[in-house]
Amino acid sequence: MDREEAFEFLDRTARGIAEMFGSTCETLVHDMGDPRHPILSIYNGHVSGRTVGSTMDILGTAKELDQDALVTDFVNLYATTPSGQQIKSSTFHLIGEDFNLALGINFDYSSLVYANRILVDLMSAEADLQSAMWHGGEGQLTQIFEECLAAVGKPVNVLTKRDRMKIIALLDQKNAFSFRKSVPFVAKRLQVSRYTVYKYLGELTGAAGGDEKPKEE
């Protein structure tokens, strides 16, 4: 492959990549045989504002490259243009006996950064809904329980089964058991097991269908 063939191959590749990835992807072919690395061809040059013949790099400088940089591939590196665009940059060399050319790819992802910020804002929330509902529900449940306990007129530690059944019945009338985790809450406040609360509810349901009355305990 001679220099002309190498340039034709890289130029065709640069054009294809630019077309494939769109207007935010700048591609170019450098003459790396010259320390000033002038641009031989460029597509979507508006990304950096450069044209054919320019010796400016993506950073906006015109520094000559050292010997290592003239033959080293650089892959997926971050750069910021003088105008503030955020770029992912790669350079691939094609070196022959009488040529040293390089394909440069500069992808401007600034718009993706802005889009990501919008997505983060859209996906952010003040708190977990379930937790918020539970905390709010617990406050209401506490108030309802205190009202039912006051209706019985006794402290929890001296309640009989009849008293507890009455409290359960009052709670049920006030739809207290529609709250999330209401049974463990009531069981804890009445100092009984969850099973006992369910048992009382079952007895109340049975009593509603007959004439049974809860026994003293």
Side-chain angles (χ1 to χ4, degrees), residues 96-158:
E97 291 184 2
D98 62 343
F99 62 86
N100 180 359
L101 304 177
L103 169 66
I105 304 172
N106 299 309
F107 181 74
D108 178 5
Y109 64 95
S110 303
S111 58
L112 296 179
V113 173
Y114 300 140
N116 181 63
R117 290 173 185 168
I118 294 173
L119 289 174
V120 169
D121 286 342
L122 286 172
M123 293 185 292
S124 65
E126 294 298 324
D128 174 62
L129 175 61
Q130 182 170 313
S131 298
M133 290 177 67
W134 167 233
H135 290 149
E138 185 175 7
Q140 289 182 273
L141 196 54
T142 298
Q143 182 179 348
I144 294 172
F145 182 87
E146 294 297 339
E147 291 172 357
C148 295
L149 182 63
V152 173
K154 295 180 182 179
V156 172
N157 61 342
V158 298

Side-chain angles (χ1 to χ4, degrees), residues 48-76:
S48 65
R50 294 177 294 176
T51 58
V52 172
S54 174
T55 57
M56 301 286 287
D57 57 31
I58 191 65
L59 300 174
T61 65
K63 296 180 180 179
E64 292 189 2
L65 299 177
D66 59 31
Q67 291 302 310
D68 287 339
L70 288 171
V71 296
T72 302
D73 288 348
F74 299 103
V75 182
N76 197 32

Side-chain angles (χ1 to χ4, degrees), residues 6-115:
F7 171 73
E8 191 278 331
F9 169 73
L10 292 179
D11 180 64
R12 182 159 43 87
T13 302
R15 182 173 63 252
I17 292 173
E19 290 180 2
M20 180 174 180
F21 291 99
S23 62
T24 58
C25 183
E26 175 189 79
T27 58
L28 60 159
V29 179
H30 287 286
D31 181 2
M32 305 302 283
D34 184 336
R36 297 175 302 166
H37 50 86
I39 296 173
L40 302 179
S41 67
I42 186 168
Y43 300 91
N44 293 329
H46 57 271
V47 170
S48 65
R50 294 177 294 176
T51 58
V52 172
S54 174
T55 57
M56 301 286 287
D57 57 31
I58 191 65
L59 300 174
T61 65
K63 296 180 180 179
E64 292 189 2
L65 299 177
D66 59 31
Q67 291 302 310
D68 287 339
L70 288 171
V71 296
T72 302
D73 288 348
F74 299 103
V75 182
N76 197 32
L77 301 181
Y78 170 79
T80 302
T81 68
S83 59
Q85 292 150 290
Q86 293 176 281
I87 304 293
K88 291 179 68 175
S89 181
S90 294
T91 303
F92 303 95
H93 291 80
L94 183 57
I95 301 173
E97 291 184 2
D98 62 343
F99 62 86
N100 180 359
L101 304 177
L103 169 66
I105 304 172
N106 299 309
F107 181 74
D108 178 5
Y109 64 95
S110 303
S111 58
L112 296 179
V113 173
Y114 300 140

